[in-house]
Amino acid sequence: MKHLILTTALAALTASPALANKVFVSNERGNTVTVIDSDTWEVIEEFPAGNRPRGITISPDGTKLYVCASDDDTVRVFDTETYEELYTLPSGPDPELFVIHPSGNPLYIANEDDNLVTVTDTETRQVLAEVPVGVEPEGMGISADQKYVVNTSETTNMAHFINTETYEIDHNILVDQRPRYAQYTADGTRLYVSSEIGGTVSVMDIAEDGTPTLTQKIEFEV
């Protein structure tokens, strides 16, 4: 059976009408991306995406698909209509997950092997910064005002709040074991961080200046 990892990108928001019914799924073991019609749930296409494709997202204008090719140490960029590879972006070693700025530039990438978040300019295709974070960085999220990017480090068990102007960590919040995903609410007033082994979702209130406060944990049976 084909192994479909959970990092999927749904190109249905404000992208072009041609993308309104497409879901792109990265297949970590198959080294491909599967394209699914979200109306019929049928596979439209499957194409090579490099070695161990994981994180996946779409440019705000809907024209480009970004894929973390983890074992290639690069981000591969594809045309969302033709599925042809356009070019690659420097990512640092073992890119896991990433988040793109709402403007389409830059791309913030978690590098698991060297404990960095790499900031890459999607237009010049140059690395803008490398930010040291905790051990095994994974999840990435961006605040509604784009002032902070959050990275979760799976072994350090922290959420790191990176200032997008200075590329420095302004805040660290301890969460439960093996945090994976970080997601802000649309208004930016709250952040949720899931912890895979801890079996919790940490809930943080976000002040107007971006300062996070851990307010509660939603618990699940492990």
mmCIF file of all heavy atoms in Angstrom, residues 126-168:
data_model
loop_
_atom_site.group_PDB
_atom_site.id
_atom_site.type_symbol
_atom_site.label_atom_id
_atom_site.label_comp_id
_atom_site.label_asym_id
_atom_site.label_seq_id
_atom_site.Cartn_x
_atom_site.Cartn_y
_atom_site.Cartn_z
ATOM 1 N N GLN A 126 18.084 32.508 -2.789
ATOM 2 C CA GLN A 126 19.234 32.611 -1.902
ATOM 3 C C GLN A 126 18.788 32.434 -0.457
ATOM 4 O O GLN A 126 17.654 32.767 -0.100
ATOM 5 C CB GLN A 126 19.914 33.974 -2.059
ATOM 6 C CG GLN A 126 20.429 34.260 -3.460
ATOM 7 C CD GLN A 126 21.556 33.334 -3.869
ATOM 8 O OE1 GLN A 126 22.467 33.074 -3.090
ATOM 9 N NE2 GLN A 126 21.506 32.849 -5.100
ATOM 10 N N VAL A 127 19.702 31.925 0.376
ATOM 11 C CA VAL A 127 19.433 31.804 1.810
ATOM 12 C C VAL A 127 19.610 33.166 2.461
ATOM 13 O O VAL A 127 20.660 33.803 2.329
ATOM 14 C CB VAL A 127 20.371 30.770 2.460
ATOM 15 C CG1 VAL A 127 20.219 30.791 3.982
ATOM 16 C CG2 VAL A 127 20.072 29.372 1.928
ATOM 17 N N LEU A 128 18.583 33.624 3.167
ATOM 18 C CA LEU A 128 18.624 34.911 3.850
ATOM 19 C C LEU A 128 19.165 34.792 5.264
ATOM 20 O O LEU A 128 19.825 35.709 5.756
ATOM 21 C CB LEU A 128 17.218 35.527 3.903
ATOM 22 C CG LEU A 128 16.530 35.782 2.562
ATOM 23 C CD1 LEU A 128 15.116 36.299 2.793
ATOM 24 C CD2 LEU A 128 17.335 36.770 1.738
ATOM 25 N N ALA A 129 18.883 33.671 5.918
ATOM 26 C CA ALA A 129 19.330 33.490 7.305
ATOM 27 C C ALA A 129 19.227 32.023 7.691
ATOM 28 O O ALA A 129 18.461 31.257 7.096
ATOM 29 C CB ALA A 129 18.493 34.336 8.262
ATOM 30 N N GLU A 130 20.021 31.652 8.693
ATOM 31 C CA GLU A 130 19.919 30.347 9.337
ATOM 32 C C GLU A 130 19.798 30.601 10.831
ATOM 33 O O GLU A 130 20.687 31.201 11.439
ATOM 34 C CB GLU A 130 21.137 29.483 9.026
ATOM 35 C CG GLU A 130 21.221 29.044 7.574
ATOM 36 C CD GLU A 130 22.426 28.161 7.303
ATOM 37 O OE1 GLU A 130 23.476 28.385 7.955
ATOM 38 O OE2 GLU A 130 22.326 27.253 6.465
ATOM 39 N N VAL A 131 18.701 30.154 11.416
ATOM 40 C CA VAL A 131 18.397 30.446 12.821
ATOM 41 C C VAL A 131 18.561 29.177 13.656
ATOM 42 O O VAL A 131 17.831 28.202 13.460
ATOM 43 C CB VAL A 131 16.961 30.976 12.965
ATOM 44 C CG1 VAL A 131 16.689 31.385 14.407
ATOM 45 C CG2 VAL A 131 16.710 32.147 12.005
ATOM 46 N N PRO A 132 19.497 29.149 14.602
ATOM 47 C CA PRO A 132 19.644 27.981 15.475
ATOM 48 C C PRO A 132 18.417 27.828 16.382
ATOM 49 O O PRO A 132 17.967 28.800 17.002
ATOM 50 C CB PRO A 132 20.892 28.306 16.300
ATOM 51 C CG PRO A 132 21.623 29.341 15.508
ATOM 52 C CD PRO A 132 20.563 30.148 14.841
ATOM 53 N N VAL A 133 17.875 26.622 16.428
ATOM 54 C CA VAL A 133 16.726 26.326 17.282
ATOM 55 C C VAL A 133 17.037 25.077 18.100
ATOM 56 O O VAL A 133 18.191 24.682 18.226
ATOM 57 C CB VAL A 133 15.435 26.154 16.443
ATOM 58 C CG1 VAL A 133 14.997 27.487 15.859
ATOM 59 C CG2 VAL A 133 15.626 25.128 15.331
ATOM 60 N N GLY A 134 16.013 24.438 18.658
ATOM 61 C CA GLY A 134 16.224 23.248 19.464
ATOM 62 C C GLY A 134 16.526 22.024 18.618
ATOM 63 O O GLY A 134 16.666 22.097 17.397
ATOM 64 N N VAL A 135 16.601 20.879 19.300
ATOM 65 C CA VAL A 135 16.989 19.627 18.645
ATOM 66 C C VAL A 135 15.810 19.048 17.866
ATOM 67 O O VAL A 135 14.695 18.968 18.369
ATOM 68 C CB VAL A 135 17.496 18.610 19.684
ATOM 69 C CG1 VAL A 135 17.894 17.307 19.012
ATOM 70 C CG2 VAL A 135 18.673 19.199 20.454
ATOM 71 N N GLU A 136 16.057 18.666 16.623
ATOM 72 C CA GLU A 136 15.083 18.088 15.703
ATOM 73 C C GLU A 136 13.900 19.032 15.438
ATOM 74 O O GLU A 136 12.762 18.739 15.764
ATOM 75 C CB GLU A 136 14.564 16.745 16.210
ATOM 76 C CG GLU A 136 15.588 15.635 16.140
ATOM 77 C CD GLU A 136 14.958 14.278 16.447
ATOM 78 O OE1 GLU A 136 14.529 14.060 17.587
ATOM 79 O OE2 GLU A 136 14.891 13.455 15.523
ATOM 80 N N PRO A 137 14.161 20.161 14.803
ATOM 81 C CA PRO A 137 13.057 21.059 14.453
ATOM 82 C C PRO A 137 12.105 20.417 13.451
ATOM 83 O O PRO A 137 12.536 19.724 12.540
ATOM 84 C CB PRO A 137 13.767 22.273 13.857
ATOM 85 C CG PRO A 137 15.081 21.753 13.388
ATOM 86 C CD PRO A 137 15.459 20.674 14.346
ATOM 87 N N GLU A 138 10.826 20.664 13.623
ATOM 88 C CA GLU A 138 9.826 20.005 12.777
ATOM 89 C C GLU A 138 8.757 20.992 12.310
ATOM 90 O O GLU A 138 8.790 21.491 11.212
ATOM 91 C CB GLU A 138 9.183 18.843 13.548
ATOM 92 C CG GLU A 138 8.110 18.100 12.776
ATOM 93 C CD GLU A 138 8.642 16.977 11.912
ATOM 94 O OE1 GLU A 138 9.841 16.690 11.986
ATOM 95 O OE2 GLU A 138 7.844 16.404 11.154
ATOM 96 N N GLY A 139 7.763 21.255 13.179
ATOM 97 C CA GLY A 139 6.615 22.064 12.773
ATOM 98 C C GLY A 139 6.952 23.526 12.571
ATOM 99 O O GLY A 139 7.859 24.065 13.212
ATOM 100 N N MET A 140 6.203 24.174 11.658
ATOM 101 C CA MET A 140 6.393 25.587 11.380
ATOM 102 C C MET A 140 5.035 26.270 11.289
ATOM 103 O O MET A 140 4.081 25.718 10.745
ATOM 104 C CB MET A 140 7.139 25.790 10.053
ATOM 105 C CG MET A 140 8.530 25.182 9.996
ATOM 106 S SD MET A 140 9.723 25.971 11.104
ATOM 107 C CE MET A 140 9.727 27.639 10.465
ATOM 108 N N GLY A 141 4.955 27.486 11.823
ATOM 109 C CA GLY A 141 3.732 28.279 11.717
ATOM 110 C C GLY A 141 4.094 29.741 11.649
ATOM 111 O O GLY A 141 5.165 30.148 12.120
ATOM 112 N N ILE A 142 3.220 30.564 11.067
ATOM 113 C CA ILE A 142 3.486 31.994 10.958
ATOM 114 C C ILE A 142 2.299 32.764 11.506
ATOM 115 O O ILE A 142 1.143 32.392 11.296
ATOM 116 C CB ILE A 142 3.799 32.394 9.495
ATOM 117 C CG1 ILE A 142 4.275 33.848 9.421
ATOM 118 C CG2 ILE A 142 2.622 32.139 8.574
ATOM 119 C CD1 ILE A 142 4.889 34.225 8.091
ATOM 120 N N SER A 143 2.590 33.832 12.240
ATOM 121 C CA SER A 143 1.537 34.627 12.874
ATOM 122 C C SER A 143 0.759 35.419 11.831
ATOM 123 O O SER A 143 1.241 35.667 10.720
ATOM 124 C CB SER A 143 2.136 35.577 13.910
ATOM 125 O OG SER A 143 3.029 36.503 13.313
ATOM 126 N N ALA A 144 -0.442 35.838 12.195
ATOM 127 C CA ALA A 144 -1.305 36.560 11.260
ATOM 128 C C ALA A 144 -0.688 37.869 10.799
ATOM 129 O O ALA A 144 -0.883 38.288 9.651
ATOM 130 C CB ALA A 144 -2.664 36.810 11.909
ATOM 131 N N ASP A 145 0.091 38.514 11.662
ATOM 132 C CA ASP A 145 0.733 39.778 11.293
ATOM 133 C C ASP A 145 2.124 39.570 10.693
ATOM 134 O O ASP A 145 2.818 40.530 10.372
ATOM 135 C CB ASP A 145 0.815 40.724 12.492
ATOM 136 C CG ASP A 145 1.584 40.132 13.666
ATOM 137 O OD1 ASP A 145 2.219 39.069 13.513
ATOM 138 O OD2 ASP A 145 1.538 40.738 14.757
ATOM 139 N N GLN A 146 2.518 38.323 10.542
ATOM 140 C CA GLN A 146 3.799 37.925 9.952
ATOM 141 C C GLN A 146 5.028 38.400 10.736
ATOM 142 O O GLN A 146 6.143 38.401 10.212
ATOM 143 C CB GLN A 146 3.928 38.403 8.498
ATOM 144 C CG GLN A 146 2.923 37.789 7.555
ATOM 145 C CD GLN A 146 1.743 38.680 7.304
ATOM 146 O OE1 GLN A 146 1.918 39.838 6.952
ATOM 147 N NE2 GLN A 146 0.543 38.169 7.454
ATOM 148 N N LYS A 147 4.824 38.776 11.982
ATOM 149 C CA LYS A 147 5.949 39.244 12.787
ATOM 150 C C LYS A 147 6.722 38.087 13.416
ATOM 151 O O LYS A 147 7.889 38.255 13.806
ATOM 152 C CB LYS A 147 5.469 40.207 13.868
ATOM 153 C CG LYS A 147 4.944 41.530 13.314
ATOM 154 C CD LYS A 147 4.509 42.463 14.422
ATOM 155 C CE LYS A 147 4.024 43.801 13.862
ATOM 156 N NZ LYS A 147 3.584 44.715 14.946
ATOM 157 N N TYR A 148 6.081 36.929 13.540
ATOM 158 C CA TYR A 148 6.734 35.781 14.163
ATOM 159 C C TYR A 148 6.512 34.508 13.348
ATOM 160 O O TYR A 148 5.437 34.291 12.789
ATOM 161 C CB TYR A 148 6.211 35.549 15.583
ATOM 162 C CG TYR A 148 6.808 36.491 16.596
ATOM 163 C CD1 TYR A 148 6.137 37.656 16.958
ATOM 164 C CD2 TYR A 148 8.057 36.242 17.163
ATOM 165 C CE1 TYR A 148 6.691 38.542 17.867
ATOM 166 C CE2 TYR A 148 8.617 37.116 18.069
ATOM 167 C CZ TYR A 148 7.931 38.267 18.422
ATOM 168 O OH TYR A 148 8.492 39.144 19.316
ATOM 169 N N VAL A 149 7.567 33.715 13.304
ATOM 170 C CA VAL A 149 7.483 32.353 12.797
ATOM 171 C C VAL A 149 7.755 31.428 13.973
ATOM 172 O O VAL A 149 8.700 31.654 14.742
ATOM 173 C CB VAL A 149 8.508 32.108 11.673
ATOM 174 C CG1 VAL A 149 8.662 30.620 11.398
ATOM 175 C CG2 VAL A 149 8.068 32.812 10.404
ATOM 176 N N VAL A 150 6.924 30.421 14.140
ATOM 177 C CA VAL A 150 7.080 29.473 15.241
ATOM 178 C C VAL A 150 7.646 28.160 14.708
ATOM 179 O O VAL A 150 7.196 27.646 13.684
ATOM 180 C CB VAL A 150 5.739 29.201 15.935
ATOM 181 C CG1 VAL A 150 5.889 28.129 17.005
ATOM 182 C CG2 VAL A 150 5.199 30.475 16.556
ATOM 183 N N ASN A 151 8.654 27.654 15.396
ATOM 184 C CA ASN A 151 9.205 26.339 15.092
ATOM 185 C C ASN A 151 9.073 25.457 16.317
ATOM 186 O O ASN A 151 9.266 25.912 17.446
ATOM 187 C CB ASN A 151 10.675 26.445 14.696
ATOM 188 C CG ASN A 151 11.359 25.090 14.690
ATOM 189 O OD1 ASN A 151 12.161 24.803 15.568
ATOM 190 N ND2 ASN A 151 11.018 24.247 13.740
ATOM 191 N N THR A 152 8.721 24.183 16.110
ATOM 192 C CA THR A 152 8.665 23.227 17.211
ATOM 193 C C THR A 152 9.850 22.280 17.112
ATOM 194 O O THR A 152 10.134 21.742 16.043
ATOM 195 C CB THR A 152 7.364 22.412 17.182
ATOM 196 O OG1 THR A 152 7.301 21.649 15.975
ATOM 197 C CG2 THR A 152 6.150 23.324 17.266
ATOM 198 N N SER A 153 10.554 22.089 18.218
ATOM 199 C CA SER A 153 11.694 21.168 18.244
ATOM 200 C C SER A 153 11.283 19.895 18.977
ATOM 201 O O SER A 153 10.932 19.922 20.151
ATOM 202 C CB SER A 153 12.906 21.817 18.908
ATOM 203 O OG SER A 153 12.587 22.310 20.188
ATOM 204 N N GLU A 154 11.350 18.780 18.251
ATOM 205 C CA GLU A 154 10.786 17.529 18.751
ATOM 206 C C GLU A 154 11.500 16.972 19.975
ATOM 207 O O GLU A 154 10.876 16.342 20.834
ATOM 208 C CB GLU A 154 10.818 16.478 17.649
ATOM 209 C CG GLU A 154 9.854 16.754 16.525
ATOM 210 C CD GLU A 154 9.824 15.621 15.529
ATOM 211 O OE1 GLU A 154 10.893 15.146 15.121
ATOM 212 O OE2 GLU A 154 8.714 15.213 15.154
ATOM 213 N N THR A 155 12.802 17.144 20.071
ATOM 214 C CA THR A 155 13.559 16.579 21.188
ATOM 215 C C THR A 155 13.702 17.576 22.338
ATOM 216 O O THR A 155 13.695 17.184 23.508
ATOM 217 C CB THR A 155 14.948 16.105 20.718
ATOM 218 O OG1 THR A 155 14.768 15.104 19.712
ATOM 219 C CG2 THR A 155 15.744 15.507 21.856
ATOM 220 N N THR A 156 13.805 18.862 22.007
ATOM 221 C CA THR A 156 13.881 19.884 23.051
ATOM 222 C C THR A 156 12.511 20.138 23.668
ATOM 223 O O THR A 156 12.403 20.676 24.771
ATOM 224 C CB THR A 156 14.441 21.199 22.474
ATOM 225 O OG1 THR A 156 15.668 20.911 21.800
ATOM 226 C CG2 THR A 156 14.714 22.214 23.558
ATOM 227 N N ASN A 157 11.442 19.747 22.949
ATOM 228 C CA ASN A 157 10.062 19.915 23.426
ATOM 229 C C ASN A 157 9.710 21.379 23.653
ATOM 230 O O ASN A 157 9.142 21.742 24.683
ATOM 231 C CB ASN A 157 9.830 19.106 24.715
ATOM 232 C CG ASN A 157 10.086 17.628 24.529
ATOM 233 O OD1 ASN A 157 9.852 17.084 23.447
ATOM 234 N ND2 ASN A 157 10.583 16.965 25.558
ATOM 235 N N MET A 158 10.047 22.199 22.684
ATOM 236 C CA MET A 158 9.775 23.630 22.802
ATOM 237 C C MET A 158 9.164 24.189 21.525
ATOM 238 O O MET A 158 9.341 23.647 20.438
ATOM 239 C CB MET A 158 11.059 24.408 23.102
ATOM 240 C CG MET A 158 11.469 24.422 24.543
ATOM 241 S SD MET A 158 12.833 25.575 24.827
ATOM 242 C CE MET A 158 12.944 25.487 26.622
ATOM 243 N N ALA A 159 8.440 25.299 21.708
ATOM 244 C CA ALA A 159 8.013 26.133 20.591
ATOM 245 C C ALA A 159 8.882 27.384 20.630
ATOM 246 O O ALA A 159 8.947 28.077 21.654
ATOM 247 C CB ALA A 159 6.540 26.494 20.718
ATOM 248 N N HIS A 160 9.587 27.633 19.525
ATOM 249 C CA HIS A 160 10.498 28.765 19.437
ATOM 250 C C HIS A 160 9.846 29.861 18.583
ATOM 251 O O HIS A 160 9.424 29.592 17.451
ATOM 252 C CB HIS A 160 11.822 28.349 18.799
ATOM 253 C CG HIS A 160 12.440 27.136 19.413
ATOM 254 N ND1 HIS A 160 13.070 27.152 20.627
ATOM 255 C CD2 HIS A 160 12.505 25.851 18.968
ATOM 256 C CE1 HIS A 160 13.523 25.941 20.910
ATOM 257 N NE2 HIS A 160 13.180 25.130 19.924
ATOM 258 N N PHE A 161 9.806 31.070 19.103
ATOM 259 C CA PHE A 161 9.180 32.190 18.402
ATOM 260 C C PHE A 161 10.274 33.057 17.791
ATOM 261 O O PHE A 161 10.995 33.778 18.483
ATOM 262 C CB PHE A 161 8.316 32.997 19.366
ATOM 263 C CG PHE A 161 7.087 32.265 19.822
ATOM 264 C CD1 PHE A 161 7.181 31.242 20.763
ATOM 265 C CD2 PHE A 161 5.835 32.578 19.307
ATOM 266 C CE1 PHE A 161 6.052 30.553 21.185
ATOM 267 C CE2 PHE A 161 4.700 31.885 19.717
ATOM 268 C CZ PHE A 161 4.812 30.872 20.665
ATOM 269 N N ILE A 162 10.399 32.976 16.458
ATOM 270 C CA ILE A 162 11.460 33.656 15.724
ATOM 271 C C ILE A 162 10.941 34.985 15.171
ATOM 272 O O ILE A 162 9.936 35.016 14.452
ATOM 273 C CB ILE A 162 11.968 32.784 14.568
ATOM 274 C CG1 ILE A 162 12.493 31.444 15.102
ATOM 275 C CG2 ILE A 162 13.057 33.503 13.776
ATOM 276 C CD1 ILE A 162 12.758 30.424 14.016
ATOM 277 N N ASN A 163 11.616 36.070 15.521
ATOM 278 C CA ASN A 163 11.279 37.394 15.015
ATOM 279 C C ASN A 163 11.640 37.454 13.529
ATOM 280 O O ASN A 163 12.786 37.208 13.155
ATOM 281 C CB ASN A 163 12.054 38.446 15.808
ATOM 282 C CG ASN A 163 11.627 39.858 15.487
ATOM 283 O OD1 ASN A 163 11.606 40.268 14.336
ATOM 284 N ND2 ASN A 163 11.303 40.621 16.520
ATOM 285 N N THR A 164 10.666 37.774 12.668
ATOM 286 C CA THR A 164 10.914 37.730 11.227
ATOM 287 C C THR A 164 11.720 38.928 10.723
ATOM 288 O O THR A 164 12.135 38.950 9.561
ATOM 289 C CB THR A 164 9.594 37.654 10.440
ATOM 290 O OG1 THR A 164 8.748 38.751 10.812
ATOM 291 C CG2 THR A 164 8.878 36.344 10.722
ATOM 292 N N GLU A 165 11.961 39.919 11.579
ATOM 293 C CA GLU A 165 12.795 41.058 11.186
ATOM 294 C C GLU A 165 14.250 40.838 11.579
ATOM 295 O O GLU A 165 15.169 41.117 10.811
ATOM 296 C CB GLU A 165 12.269 42.352 11.801
ATOM 297 C CG GLU A 165 10.937 42.819 11.213
ATOM 298 C CD GLU A 165 10.546 44.186 11.728
ATOM 299 O OE1 GLU A 165 11.307 44.779 12.543
ATOM 300 O OE2 GLU A 165 9.469 44.682 11.324
ATOM 301 N N THR A 166 14.450 40.314 12.790
ATOM 302 C CA THR A 166 15.818 40.144 13.299
ATOM 303 C C THR A 166 16.346 38.736 13.111
ATOM 304 O O THR A 166 17.551 38.501 13.232
ATOM 305 C CB THR A 166 15.869 40.480 14.789
ATOM 306 O OG1 THR A 166 15.074 39.527 15.520
ATOM 307 C CG2 THR A 166 15.336 41.891 15.055
ATOM 308 N N TYR A 167 15.446 37.776 12.847
ATOM 309 C CA TYR A 167 15.786 36.355 12.758
ATOM 310 C C TYR A 167 16.386 35.844 14.066
ATOM 311 O O TYR A 167 17.228 34.947 14.076
ATOM 312 C CB TYR A 167 16.742 36.076 11.589
ATOM 313 C CG TYR A 167 16.165 36.447 10.245
ATOM 314 C CD1 TYR A 167 16.876 37.244 9.354
ATOM 315 C CD2 TYR A 167 14.908 36.002 9.866
ATOM 316 C CE1 TYR A 167 16.343 37.584 8.120
ATOM 317 C CE2 TYR A 167 14.365 36.351 8.630
ATOM 318 C CZ TYR A 167 15.088 37.135 7.770
ATOM 319 O OH TYR A 167 14.558 37.481 6.544
ATOM 320 N N GLU A 168 15.943 36.416 15.167
ATOM 321 C CA GLU A 168 16.348 35.955 16.493
ATOM 322 C C GLU A 168 15.143 35.391 17.226
ATOM 323 O O GLU A 168 13.998 35.774 16.959
ATOM 324 C CB GLU A 168 16.962 37.102 17.288
ATOM 325 C CG GLU A 168 18.268 37.622 16.713
ATOM 326 C CD GLU A 168 18.870 38.738 17.554
ATOM 327 O OE1 GLU A 168 18.193 39.173 18.520
ATOM 328 O OE2 GLU A 168 19.996 39.166 17.259
#
